[in-house]
Amino acid sequence: MNSAVGDDPAEAIDMTEIGKEPSHQTDVDEPAPSRTPDPLCIVNTPSSNVPSQRATNGSDRHPGPLEGTDKPVAVTLRITESARGGDGPGEPDEGYDEVYDIVDAVVPRTDDPTIPAFTFRVLVLGFAFALVLASVNTLFTFRTNTFSLNPFIGVLLSYPLGHLLARVLPTTRILGLTLNPGRFTHKEHALIFIFCSTASGPAYALYNIVGQKYQLYQSGGGGVTTASALGFAAATQLFGYGLAGLCRRFLVRPAAMLWPGNLATVALLRSLHDVGRGGDDGDGGNGDEGCGRNRVLPSFVAPVLGAVSLLCYLAPRLPDRGGVAPLYAAKVARGLGSAQPSGGLGFLSLSFDWSIVGTQAPITTPLWALLNQFLGVYLILYIITPLLWVNSAFGNDFAIGTNPYDGPNGTGRFPLGFTLNSASLFDRNGTFVPARLFVDRSTLSLEQQLYDERKPILITTYFAMEYTVSFIVFTSAIVHVVLWYGKDIRTRFTTAMRDLDAADIHAKLIDAYPDVPDSWYLLLLAFNVVLAIGVCQWGAFDLPWWGVLLALALAGATIIPIGTIQAISGQQIGLNVMSEFLIGLLLPGRIAAVMSFKTLSYMSMSQGLFLVADLKLGHYLKVPPRAMFAVQLIATVVALVVNVLVAFAVYESFGRSSEDEFVVPGDPASGRIWRLQSANPPAGWSANNYNVFLNAGAIWGAIGPARFFGPGSPYSVTLWGLLVGAVAPVVPWLLHKLYPSSIFHLINIPLIAVFPAQVGGFRSDMLTPLVVGVLINHVVKRHRHGWWKKYAFVLSAALDSGTAIGVTATFVAFTLNAGYQILMPYYALNRADGEGCAAEFYLTCKGNENQGNARGRQYDYAADEYCRGIGFSAGVLH
């Protein structure tokens, strides 16, 4: 069967028989720019107002399987090279070429509007998978490295189930829906994916809710209730949904808005529905099953494969007694080479665990974006951060985490005897201080006496640099978009009601369906403004009405420029840090208000862009817009309810603190401390995201930005990142003006500074993803282009889905029962710290302790002669 992609671009533009007459200019008086567009921020420039793909003459094109059966819409589309935005006739634009190549590989160019989409089968299967994904991924928010059950699993399983329902369901109509409209279609399959995709992302509000209810023990009377938690989650999720709808003409319709993450989904759907391309050959399914089976290796049998830290193994061994300070050379080597949470930076650390490697999306992210991203990571993480650390640039960096109480012979919180990769807070001597101690429970404000005794409060060099680059990213993103595309964005706004994308074949095809009126989204926004004000003012979230309005305005003002970057690069720049900075200055000392403002502003923007990405998927697959509206809204509401209830159940299932000071009789939420990580650290269940969120809340809320970043603070210098971010994008822009034919337009400062390596996670995810990206998207693409075009995105989908199945299965089999952990015996490929970088006595004795507490038993310290003899202190983390 012929590929869905033509082999040869033709010579002229020729569009017929679809929709309106094409229009190729934004402004007839404005000439096309002569510069080469920057592929990161293409915002519908006049020269980009052309069809989004190269195509063959329609006479020799065979419709693909997703393009309809009986009545495909006829399309003839031919494009000149000069019309694609090059510098001159016959000179193709390099940035656009990559967009065309990627989209051409997977997206069909015809459609049949008579194909059923929103059906009874969609509702049944969509609801079922939404419940499963929302539940499991809420559980996964407690993992050390962010990973999730990919919505692709719903796509894979719904394929046979959809065909089964097509065979067995009657053709009866219920509430206007025919139970069985015929064969199971790709549009039904796409809507089921939207169900899964919308429900699979846990509400960001969970970090706020869990932090207040359990980590700050703000439950019971006057605290966070189930009703207020559900209301807060709904306000944050649904406001973003309204923003997504209003931004669709800017972030969905333009051909240059690629949204690369969607291409794996399109490829997977085509492989399932196209018998000739792979629906029956089993390539994707075998990869999925194989990865699911192999996931047991790094997660249970051989966790060391998740972090092969070469520098640790080559460095001098640490002393075998916890009270002896490690040698300087050994400490530096382990600080650089260890990849474990609470350890080091992971330099030269490899991973063979796709749940770690896949977090960077090395196959679906364009190679130029991946190279920009990792250039920044290596510069900041492996050059700047170590130099600052060994020189204690922020005051006492080299001493952080060295208190023996928290070392390998104490609680074991920092097995190396120090820490670089931690989001915890420390006092002026480098001693760990739990964030909750800085908060007065009765007022949720700063515990002033404790702060005065311990100040200045310190964080690790890694954490400080993460804040620095977040400042750089925020200002550089704004300057970058203004420099390259400010005029184009202004043009889009002033001519928003005109159909500027009639020349794009996908925009013309989707115009065959009734659009969703803007009034629907405006009503949704109005409802959520009222809900947010009510729940934040009177629902224990401590944010006044004007704070709610300010948070929502911040989200609305930033969604388009930040969405532009994400649409092309696949990378999202968050508002979390800058929103904390703003509200921390306006409401100093109020941790709940700061966390709530951060959640509301950041999630409204982030959730909006997440839903925009799904709207682009519907655009690619020609799913009716009103069906998309209904499915996204239903799935969002279902998911947020499940998220809140499951998070409550999970947190209350893993033990109670041994400290009784916060335990309130009759209140099951009080006195809860997450204890799962201490039972088996290599399993990767440290609840890192919740800890980072709470620690950030203490920094920006309880302590406040004026104290933590103000004059006299060790971290005041991090604010220079704002100025660096404002100036740095000007350099490649000016160089491109001077040398238009150079590659300076490919240098993107916001993407370089994005820094997708959250402190506190396994840092073995910095080398292997780059190797995978170069191998697949350069070597294979260049030398086996046909294979890459056909299978690269399907391979990514299979790896993600199989890994998610494996993670879930191993958790259910070995970890789920908090009182009966099942551990693999420790040996060379399964060490107590997950990689083997800690001192040998710690690896032995901590392994004995973990095994002694497994399977419902109690570790007998007195019977462990070796560990008792060296004075090993068995500890439980608090």
Side-chain angles (χ1 to χ4, degrees):
M1 183 174 183
N2 287 6
S3 169
V5 181
D7 298 314
D8 148 76
E11 302 74 25
I13 298 178
D14 178 14
M15 297 186 173
T16 58
E17 304 183 298
I18 296 185
K20 307 171 186 176
E21 290 299 317
S23 173
H24 305 296
Q25 290 182 301
T26 56
D27 187 338
V28 293
D29 298 322
E30 180 180 344
S34 60
R35 62 175 171 79
T36 303
D38 176 1
L40 181 58
C41 290
I42 300 170
V43 186
N44 197 48
T45 63
S47 61
S48 69
N49 248 345
V50 296
S52 61
Q53 284 88 27
R54 295 171 292 178
T56 60
N57 188 308
S59 61
D60 58 12
R61 188 184 183 288
H62 294 264
L66 299 188
E67 302 163 2
T69 51
D70 300 326
K71 299 178 181 179
V73 179
V75 178
T76 303
L77 176 62
R78 293 179 293 175
I79 306 172
T80 62
E81 293 293 331
S82 59
R84 286 176 18 223
D87 291 334
E91 298 178 10
D93 177 83
E94 181 181 347
Y96 287 124
D97 271 342
E98 183 175 10
V99 173
Y100 299 141
D101 283 342
I102 292 174
V103 176
D104 271 350
V106 290
V107 179
R109 281 178 263 121
T110 61
D111 175 54
D112 180 1
T114 66
I115 294 177
F118 189 70
T119 65
F120 177 77
R121 295 184 297 229
V122 168
L123 292 175
V124 171
L125 295 177
F127 263 112
F129 287 115
L131 291 172
V132 172
L133 288 165
S135 301
V136 172
N137 285 342
T138 300
L139 172 65
F140 283 176
T141 62
F142 295 93
R143 282 188 62 79
T144 303
N145 276 52
T146 302
F147 190 75
S148 61
L149 186 61
N150 200 293
F152 289 136
I153 190 63
V155 175
L156 294 172
L157 295 180
S158 63
Y159 180 69
L161 293 174
H163 283 291
L164 176 64
L165 292 179
R167 293 193 189 97
V168 301
L169 285 178
T171 57
T172 310
R173 293 181 67 86
I174 297 179
L175 300 177
L177 289 178
T178 301
L179 296 187
N180 191 349
R183 69 181 181 87
F184 183 57
T185 71
H186 73 278
K187 294 191 180 185
E188 290 177 284
H189 213 167
L191 283 174
I192 292 171
F193 172 78
I194 299 301
F195 248 117
C196 297
S197 177
T198 304
S200 66
Y204 189 72
L206 287 181
Y207 303 111
N208 201 137
I209 294 165
V210 169
Q212 288 188 235
K213 187 176 179 68
Y214 297 107
Q215 294 176 309
L216 295 179
Y217 310 125
Q218 188 191 359
S219 57
V224 177
T225 65
T226 302
S228 63
L230 290 171
F232 186 69
T236 59
Q237 298 293 95
L238 295 177
F239 190 86
Y241 185 40
L243 284 180
L246 295 179
C247 292
R248 65 194 187 278
R249 64 170 46 88
F250 307 109
L251 298 176
V252 175
R253 287 187 65 92
M257 298 295 103
L258 180 61
W259 295 98
N262 283 328
L263 300 179
T265 308
V266 177
L268 180 59
L269 288 172
R270 298 198 68 183
S271 71
L272 290 172
H273 285 266
D274 184 347
V275 176
R277 285 192 58 190
D280 290 343
D281 64 14
D283 288 336
N286 288 338
D288 176 70
E289 294 168 9
C291 193
R293 291 192 299 268
N294 293 335
R295 179 68 189 98
V296 178
L297 271 176
S299 65
F300 183 69
V301 177
V304 168
L305 295 178
V308 181
S309 301
L310 301 178
L311 201 57
C312 278
Y313 308 145
L314 298 175
R317 295 300 300 170
L318 286 169
D320 282 343
R321 296 294 183 270
V324 181
L327 301 174
Y328 180 84
K331 180 175 179 177
V332 172
R334 278 164 175 72
L336 289 173
S338 171
Q340 65 176 295
S342 297
L345 303 178
F347 180 63
L348 296 181
S349 183
L350 300 170
S351 178
F352 300 93
D353 181 352
W354 190 258
S355 74
I356 295 175
V357 177
T359 59
Q360 306 295 341
I363 296 178
T364 58
T365 301
L367 183 59
W368 68 267
L370 201 68
L371 292 173
N372 271 276
Q373 176 180 305
F374 278 97
L375 171 64
V377 168
Y378 296 155
L379 174 65
I380 295 164
L381 195 60
Y382 297 143
I383 297 177
I384 297 176
T385 299
L387 290 174
L388 296 176
W389 175 57
V390 297
N391 290 287
S392 289
F394 296 108
N396 204 14
D397 303 43
F398 211 60
I400 286 179
T402 57
N403 189 316
Y405 176 77
D406 287 310
N409 204 25
T411 64
R413 179 179 297 276
F414 307 121
L416 299 182
F418 63 92
T419 184
L420 251 175
N421 183 17
S422 173
S424 300
L425 304 183
F426 303 85
D427 67 13
R428 60 178 175 271
N429 298 317
T431 300
F432 166 74
V433 183
R436 69 179 186 275
L437 299 184
F438 288 105
V439 181
D440 184 328
R441 264 195 89 209
S442 60
T443 62
L444 286 181
S445 59
L446 177 65
E447 185 64 66
Q448 190 67 48
Q449 182 179 350
L450 177 69
Y451 174 75
D452 290 339
E453 292 172 353
R454 302 293 187 100
K455 68 180 183 181
I457 303 305
L458 304 179
I459 56 178
T460 62
T461 313
Y462 185 165
F463 202 6
M465 286 306 302
E466 192 167 81
Y467 276 125
T468 304
V469 297
S470 70
F471 298 146
I472 294 174
V473 166
F474 188 79
T475 52
S476 65
I478 296 172
V479 172
H480 181 92
V481 172
V482 169
L483 287 175
W484 290 94
Y485 300 106
K487 186 174 183 180
D488 299 325
I489 291 175
R490 185 171 64 252
T491 301
R492 291 277 318 163
F493 271 110
T494 57
T495 58
M497 301 308 296
R498 293 170 52 189
D499 188 0
L500 302 180
D501 304 296
D504 174 26
I505 186 60
H506 299 296
K508 293 180 69 67
L509 291 171
I510 204 68
D511 285 341
Y513 302 93
D515 200 4
V516 178
D518 285 346
S519 59
W520 293 13
Y521 292 108
L522 288 170
L523 287 173
L524 192 59
L525 286 177
F527 168 78
N528 277 282
V529 169
V530 175
L531 176 63
I533 291 175
V535 76
C536 290
Q537 186 84 54
W538 298 288
F541 293 97
D542 197 32
L543 187 62
W545 64 268
W546 59 264
V548 172
L549 295 180
L550 180 60
L552 300 180
L554 182 61
T558 55
I559 189 170
I560 289 179
I562 291 177
T564 299
I565 293 177
Q566 185 179 355
I568 301 302
S569 71
Q571 304 296 324
Q572 185 181 113
I573 297 169
L575 287 177
N576 47 346
V577 172
M578 293 311 301
S579 62
E580 288 173 312
F581 200 116
L582 175 62
I583 197 63
L585 292 174
L586 296 176
L587 294 174
R590 292 170 61 176
I591 185 172
V594 168
M595 293 195 302
S596 300
F597 183 91
K598 167 187 174 179
T599 299
L600 196 59
S601 59
Y602 168 68
M603 199 56 205
S604 294
M605 184 275 294
S606 180
Q607 174 73 355
L609 292 180
F610 185 84
L611 295 170
V612 165
D614 281 348
L615 289 175
K616 185 68 174 187
L617 177 66
H619 188 82
Y620 279 147
L621 293 175
K622 320 307 176 293
V623 178
R626 296 189 178 187
M628 293 286 296
F629 178 89
V631 167
Q632 285 186 315
L633 184 59
I634 294 170
T636 300
V637 173
V638 170
L640 69 88
V641 173
V642 173
N643 293 157
V644 171
L645 298 181
V646 170
F648 285 2
V650 168
Y651 212 100
E652 293 178 15
S653 68
F654 286 102
R656 183 180 293 278
S657 170
S658 59
E659 304 170 10
D660 296 327
E661 57 181 309
F662 295 125
V663 177
V664 179
D667 182 4
S670 69
R672 296 286 174 180
I673 287 181
W674 186 255
R675 301 159 65 91
L676 186 57
Q677 173 71 1
S678 62
N680 185 22
W685 294 93
S686 68
N688 183 56
N689 287 332
Y690 292 92
N691 297 330
V692 171
F693 191 93
L694 180 65
N695 291 330
I699 290 172
W700 297 97
I703 299 172
R707 291 188 183 96
F708 199 85
F709 295 100
S713 164
Y715 303 104
S716 60
V717 295
T718 63
L719 297 180
W720 284 98
L722 295 170
L723 180 60
V724 172
V727 173
V730 179
V731 176
W733 181 76
L734 287 176
L735 290 173
H736 176 73
K737 290 291 185 181
L738 295 173
Y739 308 102
S741 59
S742 67
I743 63 168
F744 291 114
H745 66 285
L746 297 176
I747 299 175
N748 188 279
I749 301 301
L751 192 55
I752 289 173
V754 160
F755 201 65
Q758 186 180 49
V759 62
F762 284 102
R763 279 291 70 82
S764 55
D765 58 348
M766 293 291 100
L767 184 57
T768 310
L770 183 61
V771 173
V772 172
V774 172
L775 178 64
I776 298 296
N777 289 324
H778 177 68
V779 178
V780 174
K781 181 180 179 181
R782 182 175 181 181
H783 298 286
R784 294 290 185 271
H785 190 75
W787 187 97
W788 175 87
K789 179 183 284 187
K790 200 170 186 181
Y791 295 118
F793 292 105
V794 178
L795 173 63
S796 177
L799 289 169
D800 287 346
S801 302
T803 299
I805 294 171
V807 169
T808 307
T810 53
F811 179 83
V812 170
F814 309 125
T815 311
L816 181 60
N817 189 335
Y820 198 85
Q821 297 283 308
I822 300 175
L823 304 182
M824 180 76 180
Y826 288 112
Y827 71 112
L829 296 182
N830 181 28
R831 309 308 301 271
D833 68 344
E835 63 178 353
C837 282
E840 194 62 39
F841 84 91
Y842 173 82
L843 298 176
T844 300
C845 295
K846 189 62 177 178
N848 292 349
E849 179 187 350
N850 291 342
Q851 291 288 348
N853 288 325
R855 298 180 176 85
R857 300 172 301 190
Q858 182 70 37
Y859 172 53
D860 188 355
Y861 176 72
D864 191 337
E865 295 184 4
Y866 168 74
C867 296
R868 181 166 49 86
I870 66 171
F872 175 74
S873 175
V876 176
L877 302 184
H878 294 304

